[in-house]
Amino acid sequence: MKNISKKVLVGAVAFALVLPASFTFSQGASAASPVKGGNLTILRGDLESSLTPSTPPDNAGIWVVEEIFDTLLVPAQDAKSLKPSLATSWSASKDGLTWTFKLRPGVKFSDGKPMTSKDVKFSLQENSNPAGNWGFINSSISKIGTPNPLTVTVTTKTPYSPLPAVMAIFANSIVPYNYGGKTKEAFGKSPIGTGPFKLATWTKGQLIKIVRNPLYWEAGKPYLDSVTFKLVPDSNTRANQVQGGQAQINEFPSYSSVKTLKSVKGVKVTAFDSSAVNYLIFNNTKAPLTDVHVRKALAYLVDKKAIIAAVTFGIGTAAGAYMSPTSWAHNASIKGLPYNVAKAKAELALSTQPNGFEASINVSSGSADENSKAQILQSEAAKIGITLKINQLDPSAWTAARDAKTYDIMFGYCTTDIIDPDEIIRFAGLIDGGGSSLWSYYDNQTSAKLANDAVLVDDQAKRKAIYDKIQLAFDADQPMVPLYYAPNLYSYSTKVQNFHPFVTGNYNFRNVWLTK
Amino acid sequence: MSTMTRIKKLHINNFRLYLGIFILLTVIAMAVFASHLTKFDPIEQDLMNALQGGTDKHFLGTDNLGRDIWSRLLYGGRTDLFLATAAVLAPFIIGTIIGAICGYFSGWIDTFVMRVADVVVAFPFYVLVISLVFILGNGVSSIFIAISLVSWVAYARIVRGETLIVRSKEFIEAAQTGGISNRKIITRHVLPNVITQAVVYAMSDIVLNIGVIVTLSYFGLGIVPPTPDWGRMISEGQQFLAGGYYYLTVLPAIAVIITSLGLSFIGDGLAQLLRVKR
Amino acid sequence: MIRFLVKRIALLIPVVFGIITATFLLMHATPGDPALTYLGNHPTPAAIAALHHQWGLDKPIINQYFDFIGGLFTGDLGSSLFYNETILKLIALKLPPTLMLMLMGSLFGVIFALPLAIWTAIRKDKFIDHLVSLMNAVILGMPIFFIGAMGILFFALKIPIFPVGGYGESNLQHLWSLVLPSITIGLGLVPLLVRSLRTSVIESLDSEYVAFARSKGLKNRAVWLKYALRNGSISGISILGIQVGYLAGGSLVIENVFAIPGMGSFLMSGILNRDFPVVQGATLTFAMLVVLVYLMTDVAYALLDPRARFK
């Protein structure tokens, strides 16, 4: 019973940065050369909503889309740059308005038809519908041209430096022109892409099986014959099945099980770096949370260290700035407010509610982690006279309260979809960034103006200076409290080799193989 | 059989009843005098000492938020025993009255009520309870209402069946011809004769209710924290099974089992007592 | 017999109708909107309205209700809002595991309970009788998901006999993976089954027939066991009939614990997503199941004990 809608999902960033020394690096272990063949089963807790590239709002759908489809560009391993994929090269015009992409010759869809610029234009247009889930990501695009079958030009309304990064998002995956003559709905049921795998069977709410695409353009890949994604909501059951050898990969084992799982023979646990930032979110439109002193008082009550100790079992790091440290725009100087009950009391005294108040925390039922966090905050808040009531809601009611602005306090997290910080700066920090400031409804017009200026600048250092300011303003207002930066946890059989999900989460099964 | 031997036999046969009462009273006493049996506050957290097995300080250990498990077991008993019993009382009273009326008068009212009862019983129980808890919000009162809405049927059916038997007895007919009002007949003559079966059932119903509360917690719809309760302890502990922290789940489960043991013995003993009486 | 059947079935119609109505009202009274769950992160009012229109949720409640009832008569349960599939197809997919689970669960329940019931009936008030009733009370106190979790721990992980969950690929694997979940459900049935079976065995042992048979010198245990069993089976059937509701509820929980893609998890996801057609279809299926089992119980009763027909 996991919540799909909380995630702001993910397209592509790269694998990066420091891993805690205690975790194994899957590739280090095996010097052996890849073996072809084998069927892999991965267990996941979330239900996929759709396999049409422009549609899924959930990681469970997105990460499968990325195995069936390709984008023009993909992020490099270091998350700092982009690599060619279906486009072999790209360049901007002098005025910064028009981008030209040269397509890889000889690429075929899994039904044997060649991929051309006509398909690319159609795909980008499909995802540009402002009513679609991901239309906002293409909102800067004004025109798409196809001078010849292997060249695509994209023109933007104003100079827009994140454009290449936008071409690497899953939602801009390349589908056949006009969905190969099918309706969008029919295409969604039997998708055709240029990716390493193609869909074999899909029983919604149960399993997705993808098999090797023999026409895949990257020579020798993929190694696996098939990958089966099974829906198993209970984290205990997932852990048990990998231990019992019925599956090879467990997506997101519970934090508490990591220590035990690491001691199980034939199973290893890896914390892959992720762009995920976990927040305590206040409804900035609801009194008394409209008062910055009230929000700050609550922020002083958050003992991040204790939360990491008790909830994530020491995995993850205390958060300061609202941008993830996996992004180059992360402002490392921001540490957030320290845990200090006296200061919280003093802050509350300055507010409209000096003697405390009553509010509720909405928790999505079935989430043990949210539940623990809510109980920790509840007990801290009681110390300064704030009574917090915990509302456990099922995902549907939780979402409804979030969108209707009727909640007081909740938890949420977001991960980035692209390697450029523009998306998350807006999504989590600005009211019109697609996420209504991650549903805190925080509205800072000065920051909004700064963000618009930032994309006009091409120089990264200059852009970072602007993003630093936005993050500082956010820290001063505390519309949400960034709690911790958490890695993506996977436990998997030691037979699985070269398994390396990106910072954004995509699995990259094209590189994975199984030892016998 | 002489009266003496009969009483003696009754005593032996009802060893279970006494044992059950003893167990239940002990559990209730522990819940009532919780504050004297532990110096820990059941909701006080100690995050840096979380998930420790038995120590000198916490003899049953601490949970994932560093709360004392022994203390939570004691205070949790208060919550669960109270709720489970309360959720038996209301349906017991309502169901008994409805059952007696249906059985005594028969006719269209009986047909109608029994059809409604069929609907309630044929409805997947957890769908009803889960939907109701969604609608009413989490918490003690929602669980109470949800259980009550369903479990009156069992009492109504039991009492109706018994009433049908009693109604044909001579003393009722005598009362009717004697001009005593129906209301008086039901309250004075029918109910005292039919209620014992319902009481026996009530014992196992309390056990079933604890099971429902625990299962609702498993679906994240149980009692709202920080109120300690066994169901939440079991279901929260379940998240830590894969981590090898079995005691988080097993200890509250043992508390539930001991309580159910006491109640079952009382139920058995009462049933036996009835049989001897007849 | 046919008149009896017709009468019984006629009585079921208002029950089924009541369930449909109750489900409909319950789901529409529950807060939450399927469009919000479906659209995810960026719902625009226009997109929500469009979905509501597509799903017919913009019509007045009363019209939605009659549309649904009308569909029922033509055998159309509608389509899932999320799965892009008709409810009938989905049910056809999800029902077999649940039916098997309930059947095998009852079977295991009887296999465990019958010998215990006879044994404790013969050795009434002896040590074994007390031991079994102690065991019953213990099982009765254990939440079913706890029994399941412990079962997995000991019989799938510590001693790897059974698969830890899932449903397998082939028919044989389906069956094999349902064994441990069925045992769990069966165990949950044992206390109730033993209790009532024991009573009816004791009653038949005390009955005039057996006394008569004994007086005639029929010491052979087989004779009175046979008689006791026949009487016991009547009460066993009625207990199973009454407990079908428990079986349905148990499957909801057990399917979750063992990751079985059956009706229980289907219904649960329907409730969570506010996928109205799914909840309606699944509730109706469960209700029909319960009602049919009642009917079958009545019929079996009538066949085994002709007096019941005239009650």
Side-chain angles (χ1 to χ4, degrees):
Chain A
M1 274 188 261
K2 269 216 85 172
N3 207 313
I4 51 164
S5 32
K6 240 179 300 174
K7 304 175 182 171
V8 176
L9 300 218
V10 186
V13 177
F15 182 74
L17 306 179
V18 223
L19 282 171
S22 58
F23 292 111
T24 50
F25 230 32
S26 53
Q27 56 181 177
S30 59
S33 55
V35 187
K36 217 162 175 138
N39 301 296
L40 186 142
T41 300
I42 170 169
L43 307 176
R44 315 193 299 171
D46 297 334
L47 169 75
E48 72 287 347
S49 63
S50 164
L51 296 182
T52 312
S54 60
T55 310
D58 52 306
N59 281 332
I62 291 167
W63 295 344
V64 180
V65 163
E66 286 162 346
E67 300 298 327
I68 301 173
F69 297 94
D70 284 318
T71 42
L72 290 184
L73 308 176
V74 289
Q77 284 281 323
D78 65 0
K80 305 251 193 284
S81 62
L82 293 159
K83 280 200 324 185
S85 178
L86 288 183
T88 50
S89 66
W90 65 99
S91 58
S93 64
K94 283 219 176 88
D95 59 6
L97 286 174
T98 302
W99 297 78
T100 305
F101 296 87
K102 292 280 179 201
L103 300 184
R104 184 180 298 276
V107 175
K108 285 181 175 146
F109 285 105
S110 59
D111 65 352
K113 297 206 180 93
M115 189 271 305
T116 68
S117 56
K118 202 175 159 191
D119 304 307
V120 175
K121 181 177 178 181
F122 174 78
S123 307
L124 298 183
Q125 278 172 340
E126 270 300 289
N127 188 43
S128 299
N129 177 1
N133 277 342
W134 299 98
F136 78 101
I137 205 92
N138 285 357
S139 59
S140 63
I141 299 174
S142 62
K143 211 177 91 194
I144 299 160
T146 54
N148 66 55
L150 289 179
T151 309
V152 177
T153 59
V154 178
T155 309
T156 54
K157 293 165 190 160
T158 52
Y160 185 66
S161 53
L163 189 91
V166 162
M167 290 299 117
I169 187 173
F170 70 91
N172 282 329
S173 288
I174 308 308
V175 299
Y177 174 73
N178 206 12
Y179 292 122
K182 290 184 211 163
T183 63
K184 189 176 177 183
E185 207 171 66
F187 182 81
K189 284 184 188 171
S190 49
I192 290 164
T194 61
F197 294 92
K198 56 181 184 177
L199 185 68
T201 48
W202 180 15
T203 315
K204 218 163 179 184
Q206 194 172 336
L207 61 85
I208 306 172
K209 187 173 184 180
I210 55 175
V211 295
R212 180 193 288 126
N213 172 11
L215 300 176
Y216 185 55
W217 53 269
E218 202 177 336
K221 289 184 181 175
Y223 304 113
L224 296 167
D225 288 338
S226 76
V227 179
T228 306
F229 303 86
K230 276 194 186 158
L231 177 69
V232 178
D234 189 276
S235 69
N236 269 317
T237 314
R238 288 202 300 276
N240 292 342
Q241 292 204 10
V242 170
Q243 204 170 326
Q246 282 170 300
Q248 286 73 48
I249 301 179
N250 167 14
E251 179 163 291
F252 310 153
S254 60
Y255 289 114
S256 59
S257 67
V258 169
K259 214 171 84 189
T260 319
L261 287 177
K262 277 203 281 192
S263 65
V264 175
K265 225 181 129 211
V267 175
K268 63 181 161 187
V269 186
T270 307
F272 294 103
D273 264 16
S274 154
S275 62
V277 184
N278 286 263
Y279 305 98
L280 171 70
I281 302 174
F282 304 125
N283 183 344
N284 283 240
T285 64
K286 213 169 164 199
L289 295 159
T290 42
D291 184 342
V292 66
H293 296 296
V294 168
R295 297 198 300 269
K296 277 187 156 171
L298 283 164
Y300 275 122
L301 292 172
V302 174
D303 188 350
K304 293 172 193 171
K305 252 198 225 143
I307 288 178
I308 291 171
V311 178
T312 69
F313 289 73
I315 299 163
T317 47
Y322 83 92
M323 289 297 287
S324 160
T326 54
S327 165
W328 55 257
H330 170 73
N331 185 340
S333 71
I334 298 172
K335 298 287 175 220
L337 302 182
Y339 170 64
N340 188 326
V341 178
K343 279 192 176 166
K345 215 172 200 161
E347 197 67 45
L348 194 67
L350 299 174
S351 77
T352 52
Q353 308 283 333
N355 301 318
F357 57 92
E358 269 185 45
S360 57
I361 314 181
N362 283 7
V363 168
S364 90
S365 57
S367 165
D369 293 350
E370 282 191 12
N371 231 312
S372 301
K373 283 185 270 189
Q375 292 188 46
I376 293 171
L377 186 67
Q378 182 183 47
S379 120
E380 293 294 337
K383 291 179 187 167
I384 63 166
I386 301 174
T387 310
L388 293 181
K389 192 177 155 263
I390 296 178
N391 280 341
Q392 301 189 65
L393 302 172
D394 71 296
S396 193
W398 186 91
T399 316
R402 178 196 74 185
D403 292 349
K405 306 187 192 181
T406 53
Y407 78 96
D408 294 337
I409 302 172
M410 65 178 187
F411 297 96
Y413 76 96
C414 74
T415 56
T416 188
D417 297 303
I418 63 177
I419 68 165
D420 194 276
D422 183 51
E423 184 196 19
I424 294 304
I425 274 285
R426 290 170 187 276
F427 196 93
L430 303 179
I431 191 80
D432 53 2
S436 308
S437 286
L438 214 60
W439 296 277
S440 70
Y441 304 99
Y442 167 61
D443 186 0
N444 185 328
Q445 286 303 320
T446 323
S447 293
K449 215 171 261 142
L450 285 172
N452 287 338
D453 294 345
V455 291
L456 302 175
V457 180
D458 207 26
D459 182 75
Q460 190 163 308
K462 280 184 190 152
R463 271 183 80 190
K464 175 152 194 316
I466 302 176
Y467 289 142
D468 279 350
K469 269 194 212 164
I470 298 178
Q471 291 170 73
L472 280 169
F474 187 99
D475 189 52
D477 289 341
Q478 292 287 321
M480 313 183 247
V481 184
L483 297 176
Y484 50 88
Y485 309 121
N488 270 347
L489 277 182
Y490 283 89
S491 74
Y492 47 100
S493 155
T494 46
K495 288 180 180 163
V496 179
Q497 306 300 331
N498 212 21
F499 177 56
H500 261 231
F502 278 168
V503 167
T504 46
N506 20 355
Y507 306 118
N508 266 318
F509 278 126
R510 71 195 72 189
N511 298 325
V512 174
W513 82 91
L514 288 170
T515 51
K516 299 277 142 118
Chain B
M1 210 184 289
S2 76
T3 323
M4 261 329 278
T5 41
R6 193 168 168 165
I7 288 170
K8 212 169 159 190
K9 184 144 193 207
L10 203 84
H11 275 270
I12 296 163
N13 275 344
N14 281 291
F15 172 68
R16 265 187 215 176
L17 179 63
Y18 299 131
L19 184 65
I21 292 174
F22 173 74
I23 295 175
L24 191 67
L25 282 180
T26 312
V27 173
I28 291 174
M30 284 168 86
V32 170
F33 299 108
S35 55
H36 299 279
L37 295 167
T38 174
K39 59 181 195 295
F40 290 101
D41 182 336
I43 62 169
E44 192 186 290
Q45 301 172 0
D46 181 2
L47 298 178
M48 292 307 164
N49 286 308
L51 286 180
Q52 296 192 337
T55 58
D56 290 343
K57 202 172 155 200
H58 305 278
F59 87 100
L60 287 182
T62 57
D63 72 358
N64 59 318
L65 297 177
R67 296 171 296 199
D68 182 69
I69 289 179
W70 170 240
S71 161
R72 288 181 72 70
L73 282 177
L74 293 174
Y75 284 92
R78 275 189 193 181
T79 320
D80 287 320
L81 289 175
F82 172 75
L83 179 54
T85 313
V88 158
L89 272 181
F92 176 87
I93 295 167
I94 297 165
T96 304
I97 294 171
I98 291 179
I101 291 173
C102 286
Y104 184 77
F105 293 107
S106 293
W108 65 268
I109 189 167
D110 182 37
T111 315
F112 175 75
V113 172
M114 284 303 119
R115 285 294 81 79
V116 174
D118 284 345
V119 173
V120 174
V121 173
F123 208 97
F125 176 67
Y126 282 105
V127 177
L128 190 61
V129 176
I130 289 170
S131 315
L132 282 172
V133 175
F134 279 160
I135 296 170
L136 303 167
N138 275 71
V140 173
S141 54
S142 305
I143 298 173
F144 170 76
I145 293 172
I147 294 178
S148 301
L149 267 177
V150 177
S151 60
W152 64 270
V153 172
Y155 295 97
R157 285 192 163 168
I158 290 168
V159 170
R160 176 180 170 272
E162 294 285 305
T163 309
L164 282 175
I165 298 169
V166 171
R167 195 180 60 171
S168 56
K169 294 259 163 79
E170 282 162 21
F171 66 94
I172 301 285
E173 274 169 30
Q176 280 168 332
T177 46
I180 298 171
S181 75
N182 284 332
R183 215 179 89 189
K184 259 197 180 151
I185 296 176
I186 292 178
T187 49
R188 295 263 171 86
H189 303 288
V190 176
L191 279 180
N193 281 296
V194 299
I195 211 155
T196 28
Q197 279 292 341
V199 174
V200 172
Y201 178 76
M203 292 303 134
S204 54
D205 198 25
I206 298 179
V207 181
L208 292 176
N209 283 350
I210 295 179
V212 171
I213 297 167
V214 172
T215 307
L216 279 174
S217 285
Y218 175 74
F219 286 120
L221 297 165
I223 288 159
V224 184
T227 312
D229 109 84
W230 295 338
R232 176 163 282 278
M233 288 174 81
I234 294 177
S235 64
E236 281 189 355
Q238 213 246 351
Q239 307 281 344
F240 298 92
L241 279 181
Y245 303 100
Y246 304 128
Y247 67 97
L248 290 181
T249 315
V250 171
L251 289 175
I254 289 175
V256 174
I257 289 168
I258 290 176
T259 311
S260 107
L261 212 59
L263 287 162
S264 297
F265 283 165
I266 296 177
D268 284 354
L270 280 179
Q272 199 125 13
L273 202 68
L274 271 178
R275 222 172 291 135
V276 175
K277 229 169 81 181
R278 279 187 180 172
Chain C
M1 192 67 200
I2 288 169
R3 250 191 77 189
F4 165 80
L5 263 178
V6 170
K7 201 180 147 200
R8 283 284 145 159
I9 292 169
L11 279 174
L12 294 180
I13 293 169
V15 173
V16 171
F17 204 71
I19 287 165
I20 294 167
T21 312
T23 319
F24 186 87
L25 291 176
L26 265 179
M27 276 325 279
H28 283 271
T30 310
D33 182 343
L36 290 176
T37 321
Y38 190 89
L39 289 169
N41 292 306
H42 313 286
T44 60
I48 293 173
L51 267 185
H52 281 173
H53 183 73
Q54 186 194 327
W55 292 336
L57 296 176
D58 52 348
K59 293 185 197 167
I61 290 276
I62 191 84
N63 291 22
Q64 292 183 42
Y65 177 69
F66 283 114
D67 283 354
F68 178 68
I69 300 287
L72 272 187
F73 281 106
T74 57
D76 176 15
L77 289 171
S79 290
S80 160
L81 309 183
F82 286 78
Y83 293 171
N84 282 324
E85 197 64 84
T86 64
I87 299 296
L88 279 178
K89 264 194 186 165
L90 287 167
I91 289 176
L93 196 73
K94 309 277 186 186
L95 192 57
T98 304
L99 271 186
M100 278 308 288
L101 187 62
M102 290 169 74
L103 269 177
M104 286 168 68
S106 317
L107 200 67
F108 277 114
V110 173
I111 290 174
F112 297 146
L114 200 59
L116 285 179
I118 294 173
W119 196 11
T120 51
I122 298 169
R123 313 232 125 241
K124 190 176 153 221
D125 293 328
K126 298 275 160 51
F127 174 74
I128 185 69
D129 191 18
H130 296 298
L131 188 74
V132 169
S133 76
L134 182 77
M135 188 198 77
N136 278 347
V138 169
I139 295 175
L140 204 62
M142 284 202 273
I144 187 153
F145 70 84
F146 178 77
I147 303 180
M150 292 296 135
I152 292 175
L153 188 65
F154 288 108
F155 300 110
L157 289 177
K158 299 247 147 125
I159 316 163
I161 308 171
F162 298 107
V164 286
Y167 189 48
E169 313 272 325
S170 64
N171 279 337
L172 200 70
Q173 282 177 353
H174 290 339
L175 214 61
W176 185 233
S177 49
L178 285 180
V179 172
L180 195 56
S182 305
I183 291 178
T184 309
I185 288 198
L187 264 182
L189 279 174
V190 163
L192 300 158
L193 276 175
V194 169
R195 204 175 279 181
S196 62
L197 284 175
R198 174 180 170 276
T199 314
S200 73
V201 172
I202 289 173
E203 272 166 14
S204 19
L205 289 183
D206 292 344
S207 73
E208 287 154 17
Y209 175 86
V210 172
F212 178 71
R214 276 188 175 155
S215 71
K216 279 277 178 188
L218 281 171
K219 292 231 168 73
N220 195 341
R221 285 195 166 191
V223 175
W224 58 263
L225 251 184
K226 200 174 144 196
Y227 178 78
L229 272 181
R230 213 187 72 142
N231 268 18
S233 66
I234 295 177
S235 83
I237 285 173
S238 72
I239 287 291
L240 278 180
I242 292 167
Q243 290 308 319
V244 66
Y246 158 84
L247 284 172
S251 75
L252 202 78
V253 180
I254 283 302
E255 282 176 20
N256 202 21
V257 175
F258 287 90
I260 299 164
M263 289 300 291
S265 50
F266 181 54
L267 176 59
M268 206 58 205
S269 74
I271 296 178
L272 294 180
N273 291 329
R274 301 290 183 281
D275 195 338
F276 300 129
V278 165
V279 180
Q280 262 144 16
T283 312
L284 190 64
T285 313
F286 271 121
M288 291 295 283
L289 213 67
V290 172
V291 162
L292 279 178
V293 171
Y294 282 165
L295 184 69
M296 276 157 30
T297 316
D298 281 351
V299 172
Y301 227 83
L303 288 176
L304 285 168
D305 185 3
R307 278 170 305 168
R309 242 177 280 173
F310 305 105
K311 267 188 194 164

